[in-house]
Amino acid sequence: MTTPQKVADDVVVTLDYELRLDSGEIIDSSVDVEGLSYLHGHGEILPALEEALTGMEVGEEKGVTLTPEQGYGQPDPEARVVIPAASFPPDMPLDLGMELTLEDQMTGQLVQAYVTEIRADGVVLDLNHPLAGENLHFYVKILGLREATAEELAHGHAH
Ligand code: ZN
């Protein structure tokens, strides 16, 4: 195997990153995991971020700002559902902001939802991504590049 020199499709990229909002607040970073690894070109990370990283070399660092359209979209005020309180187990703790996984009855797809309101008649869930409407300011530094294994390519993610 040869070591890839640049970020390209089918390369496993290890990077340090920080994600800030417009306010400057850091909402995510790789400090705790000592570098995040992903398989480039397989949609494991946001496509616009992938595009910005293409061609970078080990040791290179960069700031990348994504608009909401390049990130998690604009929030849709209609994307709310009210689930009757009786649908939840009585001993289930429900807190504002809590993340729940719902299964779409039609497609069987799993969707993330967030508790936005707890009312007498039910719980209001927001189906928007919590980062919808936000500009995303990434700071990335490439730590390592390697060829993906056949298994990783078959799975479409880094191991
Ligand atoms: Zn796998």
Side-chain angles (χ1 to χ4, degrees):
M1 276 198 183
T2 53
T3 304
Q5 296 303 303
K6 289 174 189 293
V7 174
D9 286 354
D10 300 343
V11 169
V12 173
V13 181
T14 302
L15 47 77
D16 261 337
Y17 74 96
E18 250 177 28
L19 172 55
R20 290 172 196 265
L21 301 180
D22 286 341
S23 64
E25 183 195 354
I26 300 179
I27 54 158
D28 196 12
S29 84
S30 56
V31 219
D32 298 334
V33 291
E34 289 178 30
L36 165 94
S37 294
Y38 76 95
L39 177 59
H40 194 84
H42 291 256
E44 247 193 284
I45 62 172
L46 290 167
L49 181 59
E50 222 169 37
E51 199 181 308
L53 298 180
T54 301
M56 288 180 76
E57 297 173 18
V58 172
E60 226 180 298
E61 25 197 308
K62 195 188 231 184
V64 179
T65 293
L66 303 187
T67 63
E69 285 69 25
Q70 294 172 312
Y72 296 100
Q74 294 292 354
D76 174 3
E78 303 291 305
R80 282 170 181 247
V81 288
V82 183
I83 310 281
S87 306
F88 293 95
D91 56 348
M92 183 174 173
L94 287 168
D95 290 313
L96 290 181
M98 196 175 136
E99 183 179 335
L100 298 173
T101 304
L102 304 182
E103 187 178 349
D104 189 306
Q105 305 278 326
M106 305 292 285
T107 64
Q109 262 195 342
L110 298 178
V111 220
Q112 301 309 116
Y114 302 85
V115 176
T116 51
E117 208 185 327
I118 298 171
R119 309 194 304 219
D121 62 332
V123 176
V124 185
L125 299 180
D126 188 341
L127 301 175
N128 288 296
H129 191 281
L131 293 177
E134 301 281 359
N135 291 310
L136 306 175
H137 305 276
F138 287 95
Y139 170 81
V140 295
K141 180 175 184 182
I142 308 296
L143 300 180
L145 300 173
R146 67 168 171 83
E147 271 185 35
T149 62
E151 197 186 26
E152 286 172 321
L153 290 174
H155 289 195
H157 58 233
H159 286 165

